[in-house]
Amino acid sequence: MHALIGHSSLLRNRNFLLLWIGYFINLIGSNIYRLAILWWTLQETGQSLEIGILMIVSVIPSLLLAPIAGLCADRWNQRNTMALFYFLNSLIVIFVAILDYYHALQLWHLYVVSAILSCLFAFLSAANFAILPQIVPKEELVRANSLQQFSMHSSTIVGAALGGGLVGMMGTSGAFLINGLLTLAFSLLVMFIRVSPQAPLKTGHWKAQMGEGFRYLSEERTLLGVMISFVLINLAAFPIFVLLPIFAKGVFGVGPVGLGWMEGFGGAGAIAAVFFLFRFSTNRWRYVILQVSLLAIGILFVLAGLPVSFGLFLFFLSAMGFCLGLIDAQIFSLFQIRVPRSLMGRVIGLLNMAFLSVQPLAYGIGGYLGDQLGARPTMMICGLGIMGGAVLFAFIPQIRKI
């Protein structure tokens, strides 16, 4: 942590500090909830396909609303949007906890709740991404994004460990309740962030204003090439979220605590990437970092699909987390630096829509192949797909300009 403080003034930025701490608190709860909902579904149905369907339901509303959410992020006060929608999120999850406690929770309830939370996520994601360049100087955006990644992945460790322990001791209802309370705390903390007033959008029809985001991306071929490449690569990478519960229960037999360890080790690798980014300036090497990291993730997927021990599997997950941490910080900062503030919400909405568009298919593929072939062969197939995407990434000339 000394390396983080010594290389940046970010932790002396009051607004960023509030956002960062609140983000961390909320993500701990989110990881507890995600582990609990996956375990509840697997225990009740015994089928990985049901997990895939649940994850698809949690993505489709965000996908459909992403462009509108981006426009709203440019129109609305982003701080107030985050506070309101996180508050609604907390109430919904607390309601799920009550249903589960009284043994009234059913799978269709989770389908409905996941769809509603997905709608909220569309607006929260756009607002959270768009607010960061308003409270952080441009030269600090890479480190700010790496700190956000630090929160995301360290909360994976904490949240996964707490989630596994809470599910084991209190059941899934206790895990749901903790998530609701932590999300409620974040919604209150956000209100103390001070953001300069947004310049109002020019008058015009909302469809025309949304079209400005499409036109900008079509003209910015470099950003468009990066977005398309990673959309295709995510098609091969996202099935891992369906496969990990299968590895925990059916392959290694380590239960919810072991599932927490898996997610925690991935988070530990990403935290190591944060310290790397703070120690070394990576702007000049962005293309090389992205290319090498993508290829490495594909190789690690293939290795994780071999009949290895649980300890070696955890090591592969931590290495994947390190590479993913490098990729995420570079991609996010690239868009935040290049996109004008007046278009930030709409462009990020399109970026979210593009990424989310492949998730339902990826989760469905992961669930189906996991049931038909098993977790290990599916993991290896995904790794080969990522390696193919890395090769494609290398041959797109526009991307070399990043």
Side-chain angles (χ1 to χ4, degrees):
M1 183 60 71
H2 174 74
L4 300 181
I5 299 174
H7 284 81
S8 177
S9 62
L10 281 174
L11 299 186
R12 295 188 292 271
N13 182 328
R14 174 187 176 277
N15 291 320
F16 176 77
L17 192 60
L18 286 171
L19 180 66
W20 185 44
I21 293 174
Y23 189 61
F24 179 66
I25 292 172
N26 175 67
L27 285 173
I28 290 176
S30 296
N31 281 288
I32 293 173
Y33 176 80
R34 184 164 57 86
L35 187 144
I37 200 172
L38 289 176
W39 195 253
W40 187 96
T41 305
L42 191 61
Q43 288 290 89
E44 292 295 320
T45 68
Q47 295 183 342
S48 58
L49 182 59
E50 294 292 347
I51 296 176
I53 293 174
L54 184 63
M55 299 182 81
I56 290 172
V57 172
S58 69
V59 168
I60 290 178
S62 289
L63 166 64
L64 298 177
L65 288 174
I68 298 175
L71 176 61
C72 292
D74 287 335
R75 283 185 164 188
W76 298 348
N77 182 293
Q78 291 147 4
R79 182 199 65 181
N80 295 343
T81 300
M82 292 172 65
L84 174 61
F85 281 68
Y86 275 120
F87 177 73
L88 295 174
N89 186 306
S90 68
L91 295 183
I92 293 170
V93 175
I94 291 173
F95 178 68
V96 171
I98 295 172
L99 286 178
D100 191 24
Y101 180 78
Y102 287 103
H103 305 289
L105 186 63
Q106 298 180 33
L107 187 59
W108 73 266
H109 291 145
L110 291 184
Y111 287 153
V112 174
V113 166
S114 296
I116 296 173
L117 293 180
S118 180
C119 293
L120 297 180
F121 174 79
F123 293 91
L124 288 169
S125 178
N128 185 70
F129 195 99
I131 200 174
L132 195 60
Q134 300 183 46
I135 60 178
V136 173
K138 181 178 294 188
E139 62 273 11
E140 293 278 19
L141 278 173
V142 172
R143 289 191 171 107
N145 279 297
S146 65
L147 273 178
Q148 292 283 60
Q149 295 300 307
F150 175 86
S151 291
M152 184 174 71
H153 296 294
S154 60
S155 69
T156 299
I157 298 175
V158 177
L162 285 176
L166 286 171
V167 171
M169 293 185 300
M170 303 171 59
T172 50
S173 61
F176 292 144
L177 178 61
I178 295 298
N179 172 48
L181 295 177
L182 290 176
T183 304
L184 178 62
F186 184 35
S187 70
L188 299 175
L189 193 61
V190 165
M191 292 305 299
F192 292 95
I193 297 175
R194 298 171 184 170
V195 182
S196 58
Q198 295 171 237
L201 294 180
K202 296 180 180 179
T203 58
H205 196 274
W206 65 272
K207 290 184 180 179
Q209 292 177 341
M210 286 179 58
E212 292 176 1
F214 283 100
R215 285 193 297 273
Y216 177 83
L217 271 182
S218 66
E219 295 170 359
E220 283 286 336
R221 297 298 179 87
T222 299
L223 295 181
L224 184 62
V226 170
M227 184 178 75
I228 293 174
S229 298
F230 278 90
V231 164
L232 295 176
I233 292 167
N234 281 340
L235 182 62
F238 273 117
I240 192 174
F241 295 109
V242 179
L243 296 175
L244 285 184
I246 306 175
F247 274 102
K249 185 177 182 180
V251 177
F252 297 115
V254 292
V257 175
L259 178 59
W261 277 99
M262 291 181 188
E263 298 191 355
F265 266 75
I271 290 174
V274 172
F275 284 92
F276 176 85
L277 290 170
F278 264 78
R279 180 63 181 85
F280 301 102
S281 176
T282 59
N283 288 335
R284 291 181 299 173
W285 301 97
R286 181 176 284 124
Y287 172 78
V288 175
I289 288 174
L290 291 175
Q291 182 63 53
V292 173
S293 297
L294 281 174
L295 186 61
I297 289 176
I299 294 172
L300 290 165
F301 262 71
V302 172
L303 293 176
L306 297 174
V308 298
S309 66
F310 182 58
L312 192 55
F313 186 81
L314 292 178
F315 171 77
F316 291 148
L317 290 178
S318 66
M320 292 179 200
F322 179 81
C323 295
L324 182 62
L326 296 179
I327 291 172
D328 285 347
Q330 297 294 336
I331 293 296
F332 293 153
S333 61
L334 176 66
F335 275 80
Q336 288 169 333
I337 289 171
R338 294 203 177 191
V339 177
R341 176 178 171 181
S342 61
L343 289 169
M344 185 68 69
R346 280 163 285 179
V347 172
I348 296 312
L350 295 175
L351 180 65
N352 286 337
M353 182 181 69
F355 280 118
L356 291 171
S357 65
V358 299
Q359 288 188 27
L361 180 58
Y363 293 151
I365 291 174
Y368 178 78
L369 292 180
D371 283 337
Q372 298 298 317
L373 303 178
R376 291 192 189 278
T378 304
M379 197 79 160
M380 298 181 72
I381 292 172
C382 291
L384 293 175
I386 295 171
M387 293 169 66
V391 173
L392 174 65
F393 185 82
F395 285 95
I396 299 178
Q398 291 88 350
I399 293 179
R400 298 181 183 179
K401 300 177 182 178
I402 64 177

